[in-house]
Amino acid sequence: SGLPLMLANKPYMRILGCYFVNGLANTFPITLIFFYVKQVIERPDWTAFYLAGYFVAAILGTPLWMWLAKRRGKHMAWRYALILAIAAFAIVPFLGSGDHVVFLGVVLVAGLTLGADLAMPASMLADAVDQDTLESGEPRTGVYFAVWGMAAKAAAALVVGVALSLLDAVGFVPDMYNQDDALLVLALLFGACPVVFKLIALSAVWKY
């Protein structure tokens, strides 16, 4: 019975769509980072530093986005984070062997924006749920968050299936020598796909 009201809740549907598409964007690099660092950057010994830097930057950056959200609005803070992430990932397809320091900078910037990806949508979701409660007179926060969680898991599952299938189709083999075409597909999946999906997410946030 709550489904029609949920579908009619335009702020929620916009945030949900943006969250799902942005989830696609974030899952590509997380899924493929081990392959990319070893086969393209050729510094697998730096993988731990990249992962640690990514999540530490996310933790340290979250107060920054919270501060910005209080002054400019939640959607504006998320908008800035998406633009920053797009700029960082746009560099990735052009990197190669020996660019491990430059890639570390990309990882740190991407991690910094992750704090906004985690904090802003959830906070905006709570605001959108208030609208449903106002119109229906019934609290259905659990239903909204259940759909929200399902969207996140669906995005992750979709990316893993598509990305690994495409790599398999072009003959990519982990821990083996790979042709340039296969490495190009890996680089595009790792760097270009996040840019494309974050641009779509940005367009949704821009009109929020």
Side-chain angles (χ1 to χ4, degrees):
S1 62
L3 185 60
L5 282 172
M6 180 183 295
L7 295 175
N9 189 330
K10 293 182 179 180
Y12 175 76
M13 295 306 297
R14 182 177 292 275
I15 298 169
L16 179 65
C18 182
Y19 180 69
F20 176 77
V21 174
N22 192 56
L24 296 175
N26 289 339
T27 306
F28 274 102
I30 288 296
T31 302
L32 302 174
I33 187 169
F34 292 97
F35 299 154
Y36 182 83
V37 171
K38 186 169 186 177
Q39 297 283 345
V40 179
I41 301 299
E42 297 183 352
R43 288 301 300 265
D45 54 312
W46 277 53
T47 304
F49 294 105
Y50 292 140
L51 291 173
Y54 180 73
F55 290 110
V56 169
I59 294 170
L60 297 178
T62 299
L64 168 65
W65 300 115
M66 298 296 289
W67 174 85
L68 187 60
K70 289 181 180 179
R71 283 154 181 78
R72 297 301 305 275
K74 300 170 187 177
H75 68 292
M76 291 295 293
W78 198 11
R79 182 190 298 182
Y80 296 146
L82 288 169
I83 293 174
L84 189 60
I86 290 168
F89 279 109
I91 303 172
V92 170
F94 303 99
L95 301 181
S97 179
D99 292 327
H100 51 284
V101 177
V102 177
F103 183 63
L104 178 61
V106 172
V107 168
L108 292 176
V109 173
L112 181 67
T113 65
L114 178 64
D117 288 339
L118 296 175
M120 295 303 104
S123 183
M124 294 165 68
L125 167 65
D127 297 335
V129 172
D130 285 343
Q131 179 175 330
D132 176 271
T133 304
L134 178 65
E135 294 178 356
S136 68
E138 299 178 10
R140 278 193 295 268
T141 306
V143 176
Y144 276 79
F145 273 91
V147 174
W148 187 265
M150 185 173 65
K153 291 176 174 58
L158 183 61
V159 168
V160 171
V162 170
L164 297 184
S165 296
L166 285 175
L167 288 177
D168 183 62
V170 297
F172 178 84
V173 180
D175 300 324
M176 298 286 288
Y177 172 79
N178 288 277
Q179 298 293 330
D180 290 342
D181 291 345
L183 295 180
L184 176 61
V185 172
L186 172 61
L188 291 175
L189 288 172
F190 188 93
C193 284
V195 170
V196 171
F197 286 114
K198 281 185 178 290
L199 282 171
I200 298 173
L202 178 62
S203 69
V205 175
W206 203 277
K207 299 176 182 178
Y208 182 74

